[in-house]
Amino acid sequence: MENILEDNIRRRALRNRRFKWLVIAGSIVTVTPIFLIVINLIVKGARQINLSFFTETSPDTFQAMTATANGEIIPGGIANGLTGSLIMVLIASALAIPTGLMTGIYLYENKKKRYASFIRSLAEVLQGVPSIILGIIAYIWIVKGLTKGYSALAGSIALSIMMLPIIVRSTEETMSMIPVQIREAAFALGVPYYKMIFRVLIPCSFSGLATGVLLSLSRILGETAPLMLTALGSPVMSLNVAKPSSAVPLLIWDFYNDPNMVNMVWSASLFLMIFVLSLNLLSRSISKKRKYI
Amino acid sequence: MEHQSLDRTSMRGDRVTKSILFSSSLVLLLLSAGMIFTLASGAIPAFRQFGIGFIFSSAWDPTPGKENYGSLAFITGTILTSLLALIICIPMAFSASLFISEFYKGTRLASILRSLVDLLAGVPSIVYGFWGFYTLRPLIMKTGLSDQGFGIFTASLILAIMIVPYATSLSSEIISMVSVEMKEAAYSLGATRREVIFNVVIPSAMSGIVASFILALGRALGETMAVTMLIGNANVIPDGLFSPGNTMASVIANQFGEADGLRMSALIAIGLILFAITALVNAIGKIIIKRFA
């Protein structure tokens, strides 16, 4: 009898240990790709990155071919992508951040209204829409309707539609963590409504709002699919928003499709990933600091 | 709500602020309505030409004069890759969430693993595609299951890595919410950790875990770039896991630029179907989550 019991316990303990190791192994497998990707990009992309990588526009395929044949690094850089990305992200932010902020405050102030919960669900649906569909929408609205051709503006619109729901939801979520008393204290002092928003709601939830904005920026910076349908890409630096424009992810796509440019893909990807990941980490470190509100 | 009883709404400035907030919430409403209207009206020519058969036909022939389009091949491709990605993702995300919220809950190790998994979410889609093209694809070729290494399985593998962070962050949160009393009760009966996990934690967190995987599936459905680069872009119903196919998102990305007339309308119709499918899947996930919380 005792023997059987002991056997039973030993077997259960063994299965327990085995399961634990299975979980640990599974977790290691899960995070392995991030190491593989980072190492791979650094090894193959780092030597291409220098000052001219950021100041020169992308090379043509012939330059790349001769350089590769001579064993040199490919001349040129991603300046046209950088300016394009910068312009589109700026316009997208200028459109999405104020609108998203105000909508989020509206939802927070009217929590229980049926209209507000409808808008909230719309924001959730919009956040789940595949980015390529936003590309189609911006193509029909802007490329065909407004600028009569591929344009940076169309890309910005697609990106801003992507940003909007993220900002709306993060605004509402952070603001609902503000203690009601702070708001009421402001009103008790006879502060006008808009001042309460600018002096109480926004400062109190500032770090949360910053997290939301940074997170949405890190989402749209790497987006390629909607830009293929809207901004198209361009070999030159262009500041005209009604003209086609490049972007860093679009350049990666162009490099990828040109067998001579493979080395450029690694370095452009490395740059894009470091940039996006540091935005990501920055937003996380901000959100970690705000525990009291 | 509180301040309304103070009769503050009667002040004109406050009314202006409120109407500004309200009108910004209209942006979301108009945007969503406009998107659905635009997609639907763009899809009309295709549906008028092919009727409901557009959904059930796998033809894709852009030859002028005998154009014939159907979306079945792409719907199959999307659902196959996403479901396979989900199956690959489940053990990875599950062990990572047990690691974070059960075995090493609250330790430094858990927060390191969590940050690493979060980093996976920050890698841009095009970088995944590119990395998959140069590292995963050769591995698949070595197995001899596919000549070129392109296909449903390769795409699903990369998709699985991409959706792991979404599934992990939600389900680890849900697993950590399981009541400590219940777990302690089971431990005091002499259960091992494995037995507690399988008899207490998983049953009580089941619906939340299911929802987190459904939401991850919603992500996989709309992924574009990485899939486009790895699936092989063959506009047919795939005849095996290692044969090339195409998804709804990737056929749009591939052909939208050169399309016009009926083909453009067919692509927009595919966009509309994709929109409907992702909205449905996300809604199901959200409903389960809300019932759980």
Side-chain angles (χ1 to χ4, degrees):
Chain A
M1 181 66 195
E2 221 162 69
N3 231 343
I4 296 174
L5 252 178
E6 230 169 64
D7 251 24
N8 183 15
I9 289 173
R10 203 173 296 132
R11 209 181 53 242
R12 285 169 57 210
L14 181 71
R15 290 179 79 185
N16 188 36
R17 269 201 305 281
R18 223 186 274 152
F19 182 67
K20 181 179 177 177
W21 286 111
L22 208 64
V23 165
I24 292 175
S27 305
I28 292 172
V29 169
T30 306
V31 294
T32 309
I34 190 76
F35 292 111
L36 293 179
I37 292 172
V38 170
I39 292 169
N40 218 326
L41 289 185
I42 290 176
V43 167
K44 296 199 175 149
R47 84 186 182 111
Q48 195 77 42
I49 293 186
N50 47 32
L51 186 65
S52 64
F53 184 74
F54 298 103
T55 55
E56 286 171 28
T57 55
S58 52
D60 59 41
T61 181
F62 181 72
Q63 286 173 315
M65 196 172 68
T66 28
T68 316
N70 297 335
E72 298 160 6
I73 58 171
I74 301 173
I78 55 168
N80 48 336
L82 287 175
T83 50
S85 279
L86 190 70
I87 289 173
M88 284 192 267
V89 167
L90 277 181
I91 298 177
S93 309
L95 292 172
I97 294 175
T99 321
L101 199 64
M102 290 196 288
T103 311
I105 295 175
Y106 177 80
L107 294 183
Y108 163 68
E109 292 283 329
N110 300 279
K111 257 189 182 17
K112 299 216 171 74
K113 277 193 190 154
R114 195 172 268 174
Y115 171 74
S117 65
F118 178 64
I119 295 289
R120 195 174 298 124
S121 334
L122 275 187
E124 279 177 12
V125 171
L126 205 56
Q127 202 174 355
V129 174
S131 59
I132 185 99
I133 291 177
L134 302 180
I136 297 182
I137 298 291
Y139 176 86
I140 297 174
W141 286 355
I142 312 294
V143 173
K144 281 180 99 178
L146 197 67
T147 53
K148 309 288 177 207
Y150 292 102
S151 66
L153 184 67
S156 319
I157 297 291
L159 296 182
S160 72
I161 304 178
M162 240 182 118
M163 273 180 98
L164 185 63
I166 307 180
I167 299 197
V168 168
R169 296 191 58 200
S170 74
T171 304
E172 197 199 355
E173 270 164 35
T174 0
M175 293 210 165
S176 31
M177 284 188 267
I178 300 175
V180 184
Q181 289 87 331
I182 296 185
R183 257 172 55 101
E184 284 173 351
F187 280 131
L189 292 172
V191 175
Y193 196 49
Y194 77 92
K195 248 188 192 161
M196 198 278 294
I197 292 174
F198 281 109
R199 290 292 180 79
V200 178
L201 287 188
I202 293 179
C204 276
S205 49
F206 190 77
S207 58
L209 301 179
T211 309
V213 169
L214 287 179
L215 219 60
S216 66
L217 284 180
S218 80
R219 283 282 308 280
I220 63 165
L221 269 171
E223 270 303 327
T224 319
L227 296 185
M228 284 164 62
L229 273 53
T230 52
L232 191 68
S234 152
V236 293
M237 267 196 266
S238 137
L239 298 177
N240 187 346
V241 293
K243 287 269 173 305
S245 163
S246 194
V248 179
L250 276 179
L251 271 184
I252 297 180
W253 178 243
D254 291 341
F255 293 154
Y256 167 81
N257 285 317
D258 187 334
N260 292 321
M261 303 262 216
V262 180
N263 287 333
M264 291 296 278
V265 192
W266 291 108
S267 38
S269 299
L270 177 66
F271 166 74
L272 181 65
M273 205 183 63
I274 290 177
F275 199 80
V276 170
L277 288 188
S278 32
L279 267 184
N280 232 311
L281 289 177
L282 186 67
S283 77
R284 259 169 245 289
S285 72
I286 292 177
S287 74
K288 243 182 221 162
K289 276 184 197 144
R290 52 169 184 112
K291 281 222 170 91
Y292 45 97
I293 283 186
Chain B
M1 291 298 121
E2 292 83 2
H3 55 276
Q4 275 177 359
S5 57
L6 298 173
D7 209 22
R8 295 194 54 89
T9 31
S10 57
M11 291 174 70
R12 229 179 86 222
D14 289 5
R15 265 211 310 276
V16 173
T17 315
K18 282 193 178 166
S19 46
I20 291 175
L21 289 184
F22 174 74
S23 42
S24 70
S25 79
L26 287 177
V27 172
L28 253 173
L29 190 69
L30 294 176
L31 213 55
S32 315
M35 281 172 60
I36 292 171
F37 175 77
T38 305
L39 284 178
S41 62
I44 284 176
F47 278 112
R48 189 173 286 152
Q49 180 83 18
F50 306 110
I52 196 73
F54 181 74
I55 298 175
F56 302 106
S57 148
S58 63
W60 191 265
D61 185 6
T63 323
K66 46 177 188 170
E67 282 181 295
N68 188 7
Y69 302 114
S71 58
L72 189 66
F74 313 115
I75 296 178
T76 323
T78 296
I79 292 177
L80 253 176
T81 44
S82 306
L83 282 181
L84 188 59
L86 187 65
I87 293 170
I88 302 170
C89 157
I90 286 175
M92 301 208 289
F94 191 60
S95 38
S97 16
L98 280 180
F99 190 102
I100 293 169
S101 308
E102 182 60 41
F103 282 96
Y104 294 93
K105 190 178 182 178
T107 64
R108 213 188 163 75
L109 216 53
S111 74
I112 291 174
L113 190 83
R114 191 204 304 269
S115 323
L116 285 174
V117 173
D118 282 344
L119 281 186
L120 280 174
V123 179
S125 173
I126 191 158
V127 175
Y128 272 116
F130 180 62
W131 178 73
F133 183 85
Y134 281 99
T135 57
L136 282 186
R137 202 177 57 92
L139 286 181
I140 305 274
M141 280 163 73
K142 259 185 210 149
T143 63
L145 291 162
S146 159
D147 294 340
Q148 296 286 314
F150 294 113
I152 299 287
F153 183 77
T154 321
S156 306
L157 204 57
I158 207 83
L159 263 182
I161 299 172
M162 294 176 76
I163 62 175
V164 152
Y166 299 100
T168 307
S169 72
L170 239 169
S171 44
S172 69
E173 208 172 292
I174 278 154
I175 287 175
S176 70
M177 284 185 337
V178 173
S179 88
V180 183
E181 288 83 1
M182 274 209 301
K183 287 197 284 187
E184 281 173 352
Y187 280 125
S188 70
L189 289 173
T192 62
R193 185 165 229 160
R194 193 193 78 95
E195 288 159 349
V196 171
I197 288 170
F198 279 99
N199 296 308
V200 178
V201 175
I202 293 179
S204 60
M206 196 58 192
S207 62
I209 295 174
V210 168
S212 72
F213 283 115
I214 291 177
L215 291 175
L217 177 71
R219 287 246 148 221
L221 290 170
E223 252 317 316
T224 313
M225 294 317 294
V227 176
T228 307
M229 292 157 93
L230 294 172
I231 198 165
N233 299 314
N235 302 329
V236 290
I237 295 182
D239 52 8
L241 286 186
F242 291 93
S243 40
N246 218 341
T247 66
M248 292 192 266
S250 56
V251 74
I252 297 173
N254 270 320
Q255 307 211 354
F256 203 84
E258 58 200 59
D260 50 11
L262 194 56
R263 174 144 70 134
M264 173 73 89
S265 173
L267 290 173
I268 295 173
I270 291 175
L272 183 66
I273 299 170
L274 177 62
F275 178 84
I277 294 177
T278 40
L280 186 72
V281 168
N282 283 329
I284 294 172
K286 289 268 157 63
I287 288 170
I288 298 178
I289 275 279
K290 270 182 192 142
R291 202 174 287 168
F292 181 82

